[in-house]
């Protein structure tokens, strides 16, 4: 019996940090699912909202999206200004996060209120597999950035998460390119300063707009009602996904899975890879498109083919 306890304790200790968070990604360790039962398929055990009907992320099927005229251009305030305070970049144990000044706000874009920016963070795969959370017509992009905003009519995030309009998240996809994207150099250069869980350092202030795609690309987006993509998975998020990806060179994309760790500095290193939640069912929800969303190549071919048939039989 004593020998069994020693073996059990020695087996349990390496995973105690996973259990302390009440959830983990399967990529953190195989035991996340089969032993601890804290992986994505089991999040709802400790966090019931994760098992509800309006969960995120989803696969956006472009041909099924409905055009909504009210999805006009966003109004970005403060995004083009360099803040007075230094932003903080932190390894949260599940992602890398940059704090933002609440002077950055969004309105318009079909939103009924103004939303204040709180933080941005990333989701990625490995050096050889993609890791964006949302997919477009089944295609998963290398990485995804979320800029998280709180509805200004709620006093704090805790209150906002109790309302379906409490949070607005802008989701940006990334693609691999041959040219370096200098706008992301500072964030990427700081990854080695926050390699382990809970490490954080201050950054040189930057204008949030510098991280965004062109103004034209910001007019093309998809909208749906969903949830946080990590526990506690509250269904309080108005999601906006921009389908035109931001370019990053391969070594810039690879800096995320090769620089960061899920674990604390004192623990056995566990590379932070594939930190994305699996696709969730759409159920009865509708995905909407702004008027600027470009049709897919398949849709264009369909229109051309129909036009050809019409001409041929007339």
């Amino acid at each position: 019996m004593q020998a069994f306890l020693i073996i059990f304790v020695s087996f349990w200790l390496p995973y105690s940090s996973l259990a302390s968070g009440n959830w983990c990604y399967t990529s953190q360790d195989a035991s996340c699912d089969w032993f601890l039962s804290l992986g994505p398929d089991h999040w709802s055990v400790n966090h019931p909202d994760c098992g509800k009907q309006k969960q995120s992320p989803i696969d956006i099927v472009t041909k099924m999206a409905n055009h909504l005229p009210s999805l006009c251009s966003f109004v970005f305030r403060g995004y083009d200004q360099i803040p007075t305070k230094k932003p903080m970049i932190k390894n949260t144990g599940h992602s890398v996060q940059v704090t933002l000044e609440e002077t950055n706000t969004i309105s318009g874009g079909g939103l009924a209120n103004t939303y204040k920016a709180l933080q941005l963070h990333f989701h990625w795969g490995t050096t050889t597999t993609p890791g964006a959370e949302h997919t477009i017509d089944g295609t998963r992009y290398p990485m995804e950035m979320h800029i998280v905003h709180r509805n200004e009519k709620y006093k704090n995030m805790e209150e906002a998460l109790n309302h379906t309009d409490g949070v607005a998240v802008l989701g940006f996809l990334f693609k691999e390119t041959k040219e370096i994207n200098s706008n992301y150099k500072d964030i990427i250069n700081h990854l080695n300063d926050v390699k382990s869980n809970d490490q954080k350092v201050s950054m040189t202030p930057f204008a949030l707009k510098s991280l965004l795609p062109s103004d034209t690309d910001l007019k093309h987006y998809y909208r749906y009602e969903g949830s946080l993509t990590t526990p506690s998975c509250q269904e309080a998020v108005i999601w906006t996904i921009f389908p035109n990806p931001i370019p990053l060179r391969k070594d810039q994309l690879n800096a995320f899975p090769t620089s960061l760790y899920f674990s604390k500095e004192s623990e056995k290193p566990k590379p932070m890879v594939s930190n994305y939640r699996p696709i969730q069912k759409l159920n009865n929800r509708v995905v909407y498109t702004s008027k600027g969303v470009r049709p897919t190549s398949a849709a264009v071919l369909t229109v051309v083919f129909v036009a050809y048939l019409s001409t041929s039989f007339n």
Side-chain angles (χ1 to χ4, degrees), residues 40-41 43 50-52 54-59 227 277-283 285:
D41 291 341
W43 284 356
C50 298
K52 290 186 175 180
K54 294 184 177 181
Q55 291 294 291
S56 300
I58 61 168
D59 177 43
S227 71
R277 187 186 191 188
I279 294 298
Q280 303 296 298
K281 293 180 180 179
L282 185 62
N283 294 317
R285 288 174 289 177

Side-chain angles (χ1 to χ4, degrees), residues 202-243:
S202 59
M203 297 176 56
T204 301
F206 62 92
L208 190 51
K209 183 178 174 62
S210 67
L211 301 182
L212 305 189
S214 68
D215 290 342
T216 299
D217 285 344
L218 290 173
K219 295 178 181 178
H220 309 150
Y221 59 88
Y222 294 94
R223 167 68 46 76
Y224 78 97
E225 295 180 354
S227 71
L228 301 181
T229 63
T230 57
S232 301
C233 306
Q234 288 97 329
E235 295 180 344
V237 182
I238 299 173
W239 277 98
T240 302
I241 304 297
F242 297 91

